Amino acid sequence: MTSPEGQFEPLMHAAIAQARLAEADGDVPIGAVIERGGKIIAVARNRRIIDRDPTAHAEMIALRAAAQAVGDWRLTGCTLAVTLEPCCMCAGAAILARIDRLVYGAADPKAGAVTTLYQICSDDRLNHRVEVIPGVLADACGQLLTDFFRKQRAMGKK
């Protein structure tokens, strides 16, 4: 029997493919996709290096693309899948966009704002809450990051 998380593995594989593109661009390998009605409507990867933009996280770019695809800033009925647990900015943006569900791979012990350091998506004080499915293909997502930062350290980069 497939676990409930198993149904989100195809989305996470698509996000991992985006993460690999980010790495090829020299950026931290984080990818995101947004699905609505069984169809992927947005794909994105980290672009902070290329765009010279501290807000060019995969989730932010995917949310913008999905809003354009839907023709509305409200992304109800959508699932955001991302390879790394979102930070405060990205978790907040998911709430503001009215995303129904957030699926992520690896937990982020340094900046995770969904379940690790903060629980922004489930905060009762906010006007919207997002269903969270953590740990989908977590090992594969985490390995991408581990390998990337190992290479960065070997090259003398932070």
Side-chain angles (χ1 to χ4, degrees), residues 28 148-149 152-158:
V28 178
F148 175 80
F149 287 113
Q152 293 291 302
R153 284 190 298 275
M155 294 186 309
K157 296 181 181 179
K158 290 186 180 183

Side-chain angles (χ1 to χ4, degrees), residues 97-108:
R98 308 299 194 267
I99 289 284
D100 285 1
R101 182 178 305 104
L102 169 67
V103 176
Y104 72 83
D108 186 349

Side-chain angles (χ1 to χ4, degrees), residues 22-44:
E23 182 174 23
D25 291 339
D27 215 322
V28 178
I30 300 171
V33 299
I34 297 181
E35 172 272 333
R36 186 183 213 186
K39 178 182 172 199
I40 292 177
I41 61 169
V43 298

Side-chain angles (χ1 to χ4, degrees), residues 96-147:
L96 293 173
R98 308 299 194 267
I99 289 284
D100 285 1
R101 182 178 305 104
L102 169 67
V103 176
Y104 72 83
D108 186 349
K110 294 183 178 182
V114 178
T115 58
T116 305
L117 297 178
Y118 306 101
Q119 294 78 41
I120 291 174
C121 291
S122 59
D123 193 319
D124 288 335
R125 296 169 293 182
L126 301 175
N127 66 339
H128 180 73
R129 274 153 298 292
V130 177
E131 177 187 2
V132 175
I133 312 290
V136 175
L137 298 178
D139 291 342
C141 294
Q143 194 63 52
L144 279 171
L145 293 159
T146 298
D147 293 347

Side-chain angles (χ1 to χ4, degrees), residues 11-23 25 27-35 40-48 51 55-66 80-84:
L11 288 178
M12 193 58 68
H13 282 296
I16 288 169
Q18 289 296 308
R20 288 189 174 116
L21 292 173
E23 182 174 23
D25 291 339
D27 215 322
V28 178
I30 300 171
V33 299
I34 297 181
E35 172 272 333
I40 292 177
I41 61 169
V43 298
R45 64 187 183 272
N46 263 19
R47 292 184 52 94
R48 294 179 311 161
D51 294 349
T55 69
H57 291 199
E59 302 96 317
M60 299 297 286
I61 296 166
L63 289 167
R64 288 183 195 116
L80 166 62
V82 61
T83 56
L84 181 66

